[in-house]
Amino acid sequence: MTEITKEQIDAQLAACARIAAKLGSGAKAMVDTYGCQQNEADSERIRGYLQAMGCSFTGEPDEADVIVVNTCAVRAHAEQRVLGNVGALVHSKRRHPGQVICICGCMMNEPNVVAKVKGSYRHVDMTFPPQSLWRFPELLEQVLSDGKRLFDANDEDSVAEGIPVVRQGDTKAWVSVMYGCNNFCSYCIVPHVRGRERSRSPEAVLREVGELAAAGYKDITLLGQNVNSYGKDLPGNMDFATLLRKVNGVPGDFLIRFMTSHPKDASPALFDAMAQCEKVAPHLHLPVQAGSDRILKAMNRGYTAAHYLNLVEQLRARIPYVVLTSDIIVGFPGETEEEFRETLRLIEQVRYEALFTFLYSPRPGTPAAELPDPVPAAEKSRWFDELVAAQNAISAEKHAAYVGRELRVLVDGADSDGKHDLTARTAGGRLVHLTGDASAIGTYQMARITGASTWALFGELK
C-alpha cells in the first residue's frame, strides 16, 4: 500500500488555489454520483476539492464549469445508464466549449470502458480511477493547463487523509473506515476496480467521527466493502469490533451504523460489541446472496447456509429485537429451481425486515461471467417474483408488529408523499412517514406508530 503523506495532500490543496485563479470568481461545479455509499463518500471529497477551487455547486450541466461523474461498475445496467447520461453531456459541452467533463469511480478501472470513452465520448476531458481521487486537483490542473485529454490509470492502493469534505446535509454522515476488498466473490467486479483491502488508522476514524459529533450529526455510518475485515492490515490487535467500541466512546448523541458485513468474517465479538455499545444501531445488513451451499461455493462466499443461520441465531440471542436485512441474487449461473427453493426456505426461516433482491447480471472480467447459464431468463424472472412476494409478506407482517408502539426516531427530512409532513428512521433503519412540525427535522423525537405497509411505517410525533 502506498502511503500518501501530508505534504502530498498539501500539494493538491495548493493546486486547488491555482485552479481557483484559472476558473475565476463565480465558477460552478456539478458532481453526479452513481452506486454505493462508498461512492457517495468519495463524492463528498471531490466536492471538498472543488470547493477549495472556488466552486459553488449546481445540478444543471449548462451552469457548470466542471462536471464530475462518479461511476459504479457493480451492474451492467448501471454502466449503461452512466454512459447514456455521459453521452447526453455532449450538448452542454457544445454550448460551453470551455467546460471540463471528468469521469471517475469504479468504471474507470475497466480498460474496455476507458477505451470506449476515449474513442466514442470525445467530449470527456479526463478520467481517473478511485485510487487516484486524492490526485484530482493535480490531474484537473494538467487538463486546464495543456488542453489535452487525460486518462489516468494509477492503480496503486493507498489511504489518503486530509482531503477536504463537503457533506450532503447536516444530520447523516458517511465515514469510510477502509477501502477495497480481498474476497473475490465470483460474480463481483469490486476487488478488480477498488483494489485490495486497506484500513484507515483508528485515530483518523475517531478524529473524523469526533468532528461530526461535535458538529451535531446524529447518524454516522461506518463504511467498507467488508467492514469485518477492518484492521487485518494494521499493526497490533485492532479489529472492527474494537473500532466500534472506540467510536461508541466518542462524546455526543449520535447513532452508529455500519455496512457492509461479510458473513464469513462476522464474529461473536462483533455481536457482543453491537449488544453492549449503546450508540450502535440494532441493525445488521448481512448479505447471504443464496441459500444453496453449492451456489454459495460457486459464488466463492466462504460459508454455508448452516453457518449463516448459526450467525443469525447468535446475533438474536444477544439482541432479540435486532433488525436484519440482506442481499439475494436470483438466477446465478447454473442455479436450479430446487437450489432457488433453498434460498426461499432460508429467507422464510430468517424472516428479514427487508431484502435487496437482484436478478443475476454477468460482469465481464469475473469468473461467473464464464459459467454456463442454461436457465431461461423468463424462468429466473418467475423465481424472482416469487422471492419478492414471499419477502413482501414477511416485511408487511414484521412492520404490522410496530403499530401501537412508541419509538425514538431521527427525523431526517420533509415528506414528499403528499399525506405526511416528515420522514424519519427508527434505530433499526425502518422508514417512518410522520405528521408533525418541520422544526423537528434533524432531531431525535418520540413517535407513535399508527400504521404500517410492506415498505414503511406511519405515525405521529408525540
Side-chain angles (χ1 to χ4, degrees):
M1 183 178 72
T2 303
E3 295 290 341
I4 306 304
T5 65
K6 180 180 182 300
E7 290 73 21
Q8 287 174 297
I9 297 300
D10 287 345
Q12 299 302 317
L13 296 175
C16 288
R18 294 191 295 271
I19 292 169
K22 283 180 181 288
L23 294 176
S25 63
K28 292 186 178 182
M30 172 181 156
V31 180
D32 191 14
T33 308
Y34 298 81
C36 67
Q37 291 87 351
Q38 186 62 67
N39 269 19
E40 295 286 354
D42 287 350
S43 286
E44 291 178 343
R45 280 151 179 79
I46 291 168
R47 290 189 191 95
Y49 271 144
L50 287 164
Q51 187 176 78
M53 297 169 191
C55 294
S56 60
F57 297 99
T58 178
E60 297 296 327
D62 274 321
E63 296 179 358
D65 298 280
V66 180
I67 296 176
V68 182
V69 181
N70 190 359
T71 66
C72 173
V74 169
R75 295 176 64 79
H77 176 72
E79 284 196 1
Q80 292 161 6
R81 185 161 65 101
V82 168
L83 291 175
N85 291 342
V86 168
L89 293 176
V90 71
H91 304 297
S92 66
K93 181 80 166 186
R94 285 172 181 162
R95 289 188 287 268
H96 309 284
Q99 186 178 73
V100 179
I101 298 177
C102 314
I103 312 181
C104 64
C106 295
M107 285 172 59
M108 297 304 101
N109 253 335
E110 296 183 279
N112 61 312
V113 177
V114 175
K116 187 173 185 177
V117 171
K118 282 183 182 180
S120 302
Y121 297 80
R122 302 290 300 176
H123 57 293
V124 173
D125 299 285
M126 182 174 89
T127 69
F128 60 94
Q131 294 90 333
S132 293
L133 189 155
W134 70 272
R135 297 174 55 235
F136 171 49
E138 167 194 336
L139 301 173
L140 180 57
E141 185 177 32
Q142 184 176 331
V143 170
L144 290 170
S145 297
D146 63 23
K148 296 179 181 178
R149 302 173 79 202
L150 186 154
F151 300 91
D152 185 79
N154 179 10
D155 61 356
E156 289 186 318
D157 296 332
S158 62
V159 172
E161 304 292 351
I163 298 174
V165 177
V166 172
R167 299 186 187 276
Q168 299 289 86
D170 54 10
T171 301
K172 298 181 177 182
W174 314 108
V175 175
S176 297
V177 302
M178 61 186 300
Y179 306 96
C181 184
N182 290 353
N183 286 311
F184 290 92
C185 299
S186 65
Y187 54 82
C188 184
I189 198 71
V190 168
H192 305 277
V193 295
R194 280 270 175 192
R196 302 293 76 75
E197 291 174 352
R198 60 257 188 223
S199 304
R200 294 178 68 192
S201 72
E203 294 78 15
V205 173
L206 293 172
R207 182 167 57 250
E208 185 172 351
V209 171
E211 291 168 354
L212 291 167
Y217 284 84
K218 301 296 185 185
D219 191 299
I220 299 173
T221 302
L222 309 181
L223 294 178
Q225 305 303 143
N226 174 19
V227 291
N228 294 337
S229 288
Y230 175 82
K232 290 182 178 180
D233 57 332
L234 296 177
N237 297 315
M238 179 56 59
D239 61 13
F240 187 62
T242 303
L243 181 69
L244 270 186
R245 293 182 185 277
K246 288 180 177 293
V247 173
N248 188 71
V250 173
D253 183 16
F254 61 93
L255 199 63
I256 304 165
R257 302 187 188 277
F258 59 89
M259 63 182 352
T260 296
S261 287
H262 196 299
K264 77 177 181 61
D265 297 313
S267 67
L270 171 64
F271 303 155
D272 287 340
M274 292 178 64
Q276 295 164 12
C277 293
E278 72 281 0
K279 293 176 184 174
V280 175
H283 170 216
L284 183 64
H285 186 70
L286 194 65
V288 65
Q289 305 299 4
S292 158
D293 287 348
R294 190 189 74 82
I295 294 299
L296 289 171
K297 185 175 181 180
M299 289 178 167
N300 194 35
R301 292 292 287 172
Y303 54 85
T304 63
H307 177 78
Y308 184 93
L309 292 169
N310 181 255
L311 291 175
V312 171
E313 183 179 347
Q314 290 185 59
L315 177 62
R316 284 180 167 156
R318 291 164 171 81
I319 313 174
Y321 50 88
V322 70
V323 171
L324 269 172
T325 57
S326 191
D327 297 342
I328 297 283
I329 296 173
V330 175
F332 186 82
E335 184 174 23
T336 66
E337 177 153 4
E338 176 52 36
E339 287 166 339
F340 161 72
R341 304 241 160 252
E342 291 182 69
T343 299
L344 200 59
R345 287 192 289 272
L346 184 141
I347 72 156
E348 290 169 344
Q349 184 171 350
V350 175
R351 297 182 61 77
Y352 299 101
E353 262 76 6
L355 283 180
F356 296 89
T357 51
F358 307 92
L359 274 169
Y360 171 75
S361 172
R363 300 300 295 116
T366 63
E370 306 301 319
L371 294 175
D373 193 8
V375 178
E379 182 74 355
K380 293 183 180 184
S381 292
R382 182 178 66 80
W383 298 349
F384 182 85
D385 291 343
E386 186 175 353
L387 180 76
V388 169
Q391 180 56 48
N392 284 351
I394 294 169
S395 294
E397 184 179 333
K398 287 264 188 179
H399 282 173
Y402 284 87
V403 176
R405 295 175 59 187
E406 294 181 359
L407 302 174
R408 188 177 191 238
V409 299
L410 176 60
V411 183
D412 56 9
D415 208 329
S416 59
D417 73 348
K419 300 177 182 178
H420 300 86
D421 307 308
L422 306 168
T423 60
R425 291 280 174 177
T426 68
R430 299 299 84 209
L431 172 65
V432 188
H433 297 280
L434 291 171
T435 55
D437 193 85
S439 62
I441 293 174
T443 66
Y444 285 111
Q445 299 287 334
M446 293 302 296
R448 186 191 309 277
I449 305 303
T450 58
S453 73
T454 298
W455 310 109
L457 307 175
F458 307 92
E460 55 193 16
L461 292 181
K462 288 202 64 183

